[in-house]
Amino acid sequence: GKMLEALEPDTRTGDIMRDAEEVKESFEKWLKAYQNSKFFAFIHFYDPHFPYLPPEKWYRKHMNAIPEKTPLTEQDRINFYPNFKPLVGSIENFRPDQMQSVEFSPVLDALVHLYAAEIEYVDSVVGELVKNLERSGLRDRTILIVTSDHGENLIEHSRFNSFFRHGLLTHQTETRVPF
């Protein structure tokens, strides 16, 4: 069989934190060279992983500005953990489908909305990719599978110190993957 190859020589394949638009553009550049051949492509969009840093246009749909002290790096999140503990009682029964009706502190609210904005952003980029496949005539001969590698604990399991992360627990918030 054919060996796996990088999309293109200058692609930063080891940099999983590239933004969705850059990943899409890299794939589309690669696709031009292979569009007349059978191909398999696995495209991984990292954006809905912490740190939640969607493009400004996307987070501004939810908030005017990111509140001061919002953890935006892994070290910030670790340093912020003690601030989550006093909030555990008020957030213990939180469920993502209640996101529009629950009152959080400005920082918690920002993190939940930054996560939502990341998902909306990637959804938009995937939509652009599909439209580009349609325009190029490839959509009819392409099987698209959109899935996730895992879920994300927002604040549902706060008593386990699992705030805005994954990989520590086996609750459905982490293990239920859409397909």
Side-chain angles (χ1 to χ4, degrees), residues 4 8 14 23 37 39 44 54 65 71 74 80 82-83 103 109 111 119 123-124 131 136 145 147 159 171:
L4 293 174
E8 54 197 61
V23 171
S37 308
F39 65 88
H44 183 255
E74 185 60 30
F80 196 78
N83 298 311
E103 294 280 331
D109 191 58
L111 286 169
I119 293 169
D123 183 64
S124 169
K131 286 177 188 170
S136 68
I145 299 171
T147 189
R159 67 179 170 259
H171 291 280

Side-chain angles (χ1 to χ4, degrees), residues 86-106:
L87 304 171
V88 168
S90 64
I91 61 178
E92 188 117 283
N93 295 316
F94 167 79
R95 297 294 171 265
D97 61 348
Q98 301 168 328
M99 203 161 82
Q100 302 305 320
S101 63
V102 176
E103 294 280 331
F104 293 128
S105 72

Side-chain angles (χ1 to χ4, degrees), residues 137-160:
L138 291 172
R139 178 61 190 100
D140 289 338
R141 65 179 190 92
T142 303
I143 297 171
L144 292 174
I145 299 171
V146 178
T147 189
S148 174
D149 54 347
H150 55 75
E152 188 87 335
N153 285 316
L154 299 178
I155 53 178
E156 300 90 339
H157 304 291
S158 52
R159 67 179 170 259
F160 297 107

Side-chain angles (χ1 to χ4, degrees), residues 23-87:
V23 171
K24 179 187 77 72
E25 288 171 2
S26 182
F27 166 71
E28 289 173 341
K29 184 176 177 183
W30 175 87
L31 184 59
K32 285 181 183 175
Y34 294 95
Q35 65 186 352
N36 296 319
S37 308
K38 288 183 179 182
F39 65 88
F40 171 83
F42 172 82
I43 306 165
H44 183 255
F45 295 105
Y46 188 84
D47 301 79
H49 288 75
F50 192 86
Y52 309 132
L53 298 170
E56 183 176 354
K57 143 182 173 177
W58 290 95
Y59 80 72
R60 288 219 179 255
K61 291 180 175 191
H62 299 278
M63 64 186 100
N64 293 326
I66 298 172
E68 192 175 322
K69 297 187 181 177
T70 300
L72 297 175
T73 69
E74 185 60 30
Q75 190 58 52
D76 288 347
R77 179 169 58 179
I78 291 166
N79 294 342
F80 196 78
Y81 275 164
N83 298 311
F84 281 120
K85 280 298 184 187
L87 304 171

